[in-house]
Amino acid sequence: MGRTIIDKIWAEHQIADLGDGTSLVYIDRVFLHERTGSVALKELAAANRRVRNPEQVFCTMDHIVDTLPGRGDATRMPGGTEFITETRAAARAAGINLFDLGDDRQGIVHVVSPEQGIALPGVTLVCPDSHTCTLGGIGALAWGIGTTEAEHALATKTLVLRRPKSMRVSFEGALARGVTAKDMILKLIGTYSASGGVGYAIELTGAVVRSLPVEARLTLCNMGVEFGAWTVIIAPDEAVFDYVRGRPFAPRGATLDQAIAHWRTLASDPDARFDRELAVDCNALAPQVTWGTSPQHVAAIDGTVPDPAAEPDQNRRQAMERALQYMALAPGTRLAGLPIQAAFIGSCTNSRLSDLRAAATLLRGRHVAAGIRAICVPGSSQVKLAAEREGLHRVFLDAGFEWRESGCSMCFFAGGESFGLEERVVSSTNRNFENRQGPRTRTHLASPLTVAASALSGHLADPRALPG
């Protein structure tokens, strides 16, 4: 029987079969950030253990740092400065690669990792952050871990894992203008629920996936965890090989040629079998926007808020009712035209150069609606610098957006900067939970195109209605 891409990578990294479905697996790369990195490093040092292969361990400042111009170690999050300074000291003491504030390699961990060539096809990579599955977009087997697991991986370069079930999701058809990878993943979650991928390692495939540029694939994989998946992955191809070539930590010369020859073998075999298969027809897919407090609470931008009374499952019905109460929405409300107070473009989902370019196509020569607070936070310092070389920052600033330094920013609220009480925000982030972007903030997830169109209109808006 043929093997899946996950079977192949797992077999290459399995050190020992421990029985009962568990394996001791080798970890190629570990990536840390300042919210939990200092804890893992300090616990390791307290136990008189050293980081194994520190040259394969990386740390960046992203979760807690302020993104306002002129930032330093001071942060609006209570106690945040200590997180930053202690992580810096622990990383330097351990001799690992540190992308500190002021370093032009700094940025959101899942943006920096592929950008720097740290995440590569076929590698295993872990990080104490749930959206590590983003890196499946270039063919890495990557997943989020806890701080204790991070300590073990740092000391031994191994983890004990229970092998997940396998799933393949095929996205077929073609995307219409104004429809993006963000809309694809929201459609999947909305169709099969936020728990549809629980217990699975998922390969994403199909004609639409193969047509996506690499950065869009990273967006698609980023929200695999919102589908409940252990991880998601896309088989690497020529687009990925071209993307990797020349990255600072990527192989070069003859070594790269050898690597690419191996990466070509990672595709799932034609006769590989999966435990479950799903399909999404993208031909009629419209831009998506969430209406509730879970990514599964989603509908087309030209649709309406559903009626919980039509939901037969009692638990889901009650969750919908609570979501509508929190979001101050009524069944049947049209999503397009719903007034907003703020718009946010950023996060590890949608803050790469291609995302900013896409939003700029709508913003150029226009201005956000009166009273709208609009913010753009590039995903890395490299993205910010590249955008500024292209003049994109002027497009955002002239349109009335704030132009920030890189970081996670208001993707999540941890006591620092946030949106206002009961403000309605359209956001390119990945989670719309209660209080996610601030106390009582009401978040509508959407693509950067939909966020830009909505900021210009002052209400949730269909990007297909605007020329650009």
Side-chain angles (χ1 to χ4, degrees):
M1 184 174 66
R3 298 187 300 164
T4 70
I5 181 175
I6 296 163
D7 292 333
K8 294 178 181 182
I9 298 174
W10 191 285
E12 290 173 351
H13 290 79
Q14 180 175 273
I15 299 168
D17 184 344
L18 304 179
D20 195 30
T22 61
S23 299
L24 182 66
V25 173
Y26 184 80
I27 306 301
D28 293 309
R29 308 278 190 275
V30 181
F31 218 129
L32 305 173
H33 54 79
E34 83 281 22
R35 195 176 186 198
T36 57
S38 63
V39 177
L41 290 169
K42 288 166 66 177
E43 289 294 321
L44 199 68
N48 292 317
R49 295 189 177 97
R50 295 192 304 174
V51 174
R52 186 179 179 89
N53 300 123
E55 72 279 3
Q56 296 171 358
V57 180
F58 301 81
C59 182
T60 189
M61 305 290 190
D62 65 350
H63 274 62
I64 291 169
V65 296
D66 281 355
T67 59
L68 297 168
R71 69 177 176 192
D73 290 351
T75 173
R76 296 188 181 189
M77 175 183 169
T81 298
E82 286 72 26
F83 279 95
I84 295 169
T85 57
E86 290 186 14
T87 297
R88 178 182 296 128
R92 288 174 174 170
I96 65 174
N97 298 279
L98 174 64
F99 303 153
D100 204 349
L101 294 175
D103 188 323
D104 64 11
R105 300 171 297 176
Q106 176 273 338
I108 302 174
V109 57
H110 313 310
V111 176
V112 168
S113 187
E115 176 182 86
Q116 291 295 320
I118 296 163
L120 297 168
V123 306
T124 52
L125 188 151
V126 296
C127 172
D129 184 277
S130 57
H131 292 100
T132 307
C133 57
T134 303
L135 308 174
I138 60 168
L141 187 60
W143 65 96
I145 57 174
T147 303
T148 301
E149 290 176 300
E151 183 182 346
H152 191 278
L154 288 167
T156 70
K157 293 300 295 296
T158 68
L159 284 174
V160 174
L161 300 176
R162 180 170 296 278
R163 194 183 188 101
K165 295 181 290 185
S166 63
M167 180 190 296
R168 178 164 55 191
V169 179
S170 298
F171 291 87
E172 301 297 345
L175 297 180
R177 186 182 70 86
V179 183
T180 71
K182 182 67 163 287
D183 304 305
M184 292 167 61
I185 192 64
L186 284 173
K187 179 65 175 179
L188 173 69
I189 297 168
T191 302
Y192 295 103
S193 88
S195 60
V198 171
Y200 290 92
I202 302 174
E203 180 180 0
L204 305 180
T205 186
V208 182
V209 172
R210 290 190 295 273
S211 72
L212 293 175
V214 173
E215 292 191 348
R217 298 180 193 187
L218 295 167
T219 293
L220 191 64
C221 290
N222 173 269
M223 291 187 66
V225 68
E226 313 308 335
F227 188 46
W230 175 70
T231 195
V232 291
I233 193 168
I234 297 170
D237 58 12
E238 296 302 322
V240 171
F241 308 152
D242 289 342
Y243 176 89
V244 166
R245 191 172 281 109
R247 302 279 169 181
F249 289 90
R252 297 175 181 272
T255 304
L256 177 61
D257 294 337
Q258 293 172 351
I260 290 176
H262 173 64
W263 296 340
R264 293 187 200 279
T265 71
L266 294 179
S268 293
D269 296 329
D271 57 344
R273 296 181 62 182
F274 293 81
D275 295 308
R276 190 181 185 195
E277 300 220 30
L278 302 177
V280 177
D281 183 356
C282 296
N283 283 316
L285 183 62
Q288 304 286 296
V289 63
T290 59
W291 51 263
T293 55
S294 165
Q296 74 180 19
H297 296 156
V298 65
I301 184 66
D302 53 4
T304 60
V305 175
D307 189 345
E311 172 54 57
D313 182 270
Q314 181 179 356
N315 291 332
R316 289 172 63 94
R317 182 169 62 252
Q318 291 175 346
M320 292 173 68
E321 290 169 347
R322 173 173 173 166
L324 293 184
Q325 182 179 18
Y326 180 87
M327 296 295 289
L329 293 174
T333 302
R334 290 186 57 81
L335 290 168
L338 187 66
I340 60 170
Q341 286 77 52
F344 181 82
I345 295 176
S347 84
C348 57
T349 314
N350 282 124
S351 63
R352 297 172 181 84
L353 186 59
S354 57
D355 297 311
L356 306 191
R357 286 170 175 163
T361 62
L362 295 184
L363 297 175
R364 189 171 282 106
R366 299 185 172 107
H367 199 278
V368 302
I372 300 298
R373 184 187 184 192
I375 300 171
C376 179
V377 182
S380 72
S381 294
Q382 286 293 304
V383 169
K384 181 174 184 287
L385 290 169
E388 290 173 350
R389 285 194 295 269
E390 295 183 14
L392 296 181
H393 65 307
R394 290 286 4 140
V395 175
F396 280 90
L397 289 167
D398 291 348
F401 270 74
E402 297 178 34
W403 181 253
R404 298 290 195 93
E405 300 292 339
S406 65
C408 295
S409 189
M410 284 185 280
C411 175
F412 72 101
F413 173 68
E417 189 177 15
S418 71
F419 290 106
L421 187 69
E422 298 187 346
E423 277 192 329
R424 193 174 299 281
V425 182
V426 60
S427 177
S428 73
T429 52
N430 44 46
R431 287 179 173 163
N432 54 333
F433 305 154
E434 294 183 15
N435 308 306
R436 174 73 179 183
Q437 292 190 289
R440 297 292 302 171
T441 298
R442 295 162 177 157
T443 298
H444 295 269
L445 303 180
S447 73
L449 283 176
T450 300
V451 173
S454 301
L456 295 171
S457 305
H459 54 74
L460 295 182
D462 190 335
R464 299 171 299 181
L466 291 177

